[in-house]
Amino acid sequence: MTQAERRPLLQIIVASTRPGRIGDPIARWFADYARASEGFEVEIVDLADVDLPMFAEPEHPRLGRYTLDSTKAFSATVARADAFAIVHPEYNHSYNAALKNALDHLNQEWAGKPVALIGYGGVAAGARAAEALLPVLLALRMVPVAATVPIPFAAKHVSGEGDARTFDPAPETEAGAKAALDGITEWLGTLGLRGAR
């Protein structure tokens, strides 16, 4: 299969690692939405499962000379992706430490790849966290798509218990998801990868 024939891999990163987080059902909803477009292979990367230690590599990540097995495994995972969607909460007007730690662990693996932000929270819908994330993503040479998916009062749209919880998006959230996927697809087109159309 040639590069042009294969479907690009979209990794959906669940940023929150807290027990009871609602990022998990939101990520599963977005994964199903992206799969339904039939333009992507989709994989969820849950930072709670990745379980990275606080960054402790002796050399700068841009060199790719990793010493820890956890970093090597995370590098191999992220390197597979063609694009990302980050499902992130907002903590104290910013994004969470587990996400910053994950981003800081790598360098080349992120570069040149489009990324959509799916923020959730209360009235601000993760917007301040998304704003804080942007300079970090740009420093890593990622390509944030213009369309974001802000989810206000997200907990009100989650029902069920445990792993069976589901997220029921408002119409404007679905519209944001479509715009974000379109933005990813447009950028992937410039890389010669077929996206969701």
Side-chain angles (χ1 to χ4, degrees), residues 3-60:
Q3 189 81 332
E5 291 170 336
R6 75 175 182 88
R7 290 195 298 178
L9 175 60
L10 172 65
Q11 285 184 348
I12 300 169
I13 298 173
V14 184
S16 176
T17 58
R18 293 173 65 183
R21 71 237 161 105
I22 60 173
D24 182 42
I26 293 171
R28 284 188 273 108
W29 159 74
F30 190 76
D32 290 343
Y33 190 88
R35 288 185 187 107
S37 74
E38 299 184 347
F40 299 96
E41 295 296 329
V42 179
E43 178 179 272
I44 293 178
V45 177
D46 188 340
L47 294 185
D49 294 334
V50 173
D51 195 24
L52 291 168
M54 190 56 68
F55 185 64
E57 289 287 349
E59 297 192 72
H60 194 288

Side-chain angles (χ1 to χ4, degrees), residues 6-168:
R6 75 175 182 88
R7 290 195 298 178
L9 175 60
L10 172 65
Q11 285 184 348
I12 300 169
I13 298 173
V14 184
S16 176
T17 58
R18 293 173 65 183
R21 71 237 161 105
I22 60 173
D24 182 42
I26 293 171
R28 284 188 273 108
W29 159 74
F30 190 76
D32 290 343
Y33 190 88
R35 288 185 187 107
S37 74
E38 299 184 347
F40 299 96
E41 295 296 329
V42 179
E43 178 179 272
I44 293 178
V45 177
D46 188 340
L47 294 185
D49 294 334
V50 173
D51 195 24
L52 291 168
M54 190 56 68
F55 185 64
E57 289 287 349
E59 297 192 72
H60 194 288
R62 74 177 177 277
L63 301 174
R65 295 197 288 254
Y66 306 125
T67 61
L68 301 177
D69 288 343
S70 55
T71 310
K72 292 174 185 177
F74 189 52
S75 170
T77 295
V78 171
R80 288 197 309 264
D82 298 298
F84 305 97
I86 300 175
V87 179
H88 65 88
E90 181 171 310
Y91 295 169
N92 302 314
H93 290 209
S94 192
Y95 58 99
N96 60 314
L99 177 56
K100 182 65 163 71
N101 188 48
L103 290 168
D104 288 348
H105 261 77
L106 307 177
N107 188 276
Q108 302 295 334
E109 298 88 339
W110 303 116
K113 298 176 182 179
V115 56
L117 298 180
I118 304 169
Y120 61 91
V123 66
R128 294 166 297 204
E131 185 177 347
L133 258 172
L134 284 175
V136 177
L137 302 179
L138 293 173
L140 290 167
R141 293 171 292 133
M142 299 175 81
V143 184
V145 300
T148 61
V149 188
I151 306 172
F153 303 107
K156 293 182 178 180
H157 298 275
V158 175
S159 59
E161 297 293 330
D163 292 341
R165 289 179 305 162
T166 58
F167 175 70
D168 183 25

